[in-house]
Amino acid sequence: MANVTVIGAQWGDEGKGKIVDWLAARADVVVRFQGGHNAGHTLVVGDTTYKLSLLPSGIVTGTLSLVGNGVVLDPWALRDEMERLKAQGVSITAENFGIADNCPLILPLHRDLDGLREAAAGKGKIGTTGRGIGPAYEDKVGRRAIRVCDLAHLDTLEPQLDRLCAHHDALRAGFGEPPVDREKLIAELKEIAPFVLEFAQPVWKRLRDVKRDGAKILFEGAQGVLLDVDHGTYPFVTSSNTVSGTVASGSGLGPNSAGFVLGIVKAYTTRVGSGPFPTELEDDVGQRLGERGHEFGTVTARKRRCGWFDAVLVRQSCAISGVTGIALTKLDVLDGFETIRICTGYRLRGEEIDYLPSHAADQAEVEPVYEEIEGWQGTTAGARSWADLPAQAIKYIRRIEELIDCPVASVSTSPERDDTILVRDPFAD
Ligand code: GDP
Ligand code: IMO
Ligand code: MG
């Protein structure tokens, strides 16, 4: 089957957007299946930089782009993003873009709650993107959500609003906030409804039809496996399942459609927000990685925490997500380092272990066990073929493959779309 599923194998920001955009030219459809506008995907094509959060990264190449039911959708944020992209010359029409009509909506009250909780948590905060993602997913599983299809039935929304507001008013009262302004909310929904409904459709059915026609489908994951609500560094995670298995429930196409699972892996490690990070470097080296890698969040402009490559985490992510091959990104950021360290295992209270334990206290306590390899003096920046890479850089890649027990399918050497070395075409598998 010629489908490809792209997922982040670390804590997000691995360069998924660049890789999806690069692969999109060979796909017939690109589908987002989880997350929301907490994602920030930067694509560089020639002189133009595109920043996407909710729109699938296939939109830039004009590939049919669909938002699956597993996504939580903030319609106002979507409209702003679309306007921004259209101003950059990207064509977005009902022909090349669609939204699942069973997608839950992120409402202003979700953003409010996200902010109130984070402010109240003080030092214990998650460090969310403040987009209302968690509260929106809570209302989905709590069976209180307003969904895209409800926008076509606003006249009969009262009983749903009763349920939703009863819950939120109680929470808001606990924070000393006034109840939800229902009139305002209905007016806002009425205003945005025609914009959303133009793109709304049963995405599962659209996918079934294109699949029958032999379409190549590219699933675009957001965040990364270590932010998965089950498998990540809980509670410092996002509120969706970010693993490859979510493709099925988040798009409605069944578990045999994932195809080649391409894990996107940064050649070092970064994380935004709070939570354990065994290889974090709070010294000059971490500073240098951040500066060379321009490690500032696309969504919140927060500085990303940086550290050495952690093979334990990536090996775990690859196993959990059934990764077929990885796309190694940002190799060029390591150019010029005299020595490079790779974390090969952990020490927990004197004992060596080869995985990240589930308990938050253990995760915070594990100490990395490093091996050191010689860096390279030449440059990998902009390399487009294996032959352009210094021998030591190849040695680094080969060592990573060995340690994570997964082959490299491509290597990315700059933000630019075409600065990518293809080792194994995921669509050809
Ligand atoms: P995503 O969330 O996984 O899509 O990743 P982001 O877009 O948030 O962060 C990745 C950043 O690295 C973006 O600014 C990309 O333009 C940039 N990038 C992607 N691949 C490479 C690469 O191989 N080298 C360098 N130097 N930058 C890259
Ligand atoms: P992309 O798709 C990196 C992090 C937040 C926070 C935690 C919970 O660009 O890789 P949330 O707002 O989701 O409730 O925040 O998850 N986070 C990301 N970190 N990349 C992302 O997306 C992220 N999306 C959420 O920083 O730690
Ligand atoms: Mg990002």
Side-chain angles (χ1 to χ4, degrees), residues 44-87:
V44 180
V45 185
D47 294 336
T48 313
T49 299
Y50 303 96
K51 291 185 184 294
L52 307 176
S53 283
L54 253 174
L55 289 166
S57 299
I59 202 77
V60 173
T61 46
T63 311
L64 172 62
S65 295
L66 301 174
V67 172
N69 58 278
V71 168
V72 280
L73 185 109
D74 180 328
W76 299 278
L78 176 67
R79 185 165 61 186
D80 289 349
E81 184 176 332
M82 256 192 201
E83 278 168 11
R84 210 167 19 82
L85 268 289
K86 281 183 174 174

Side-chain angles (χ1 to χ4, degrees), residues 12-13 16 39-41 298 304:
D13 301 327
K16 296 175 292 294
H41 302 162
T298 312
R304 296 175 183 151

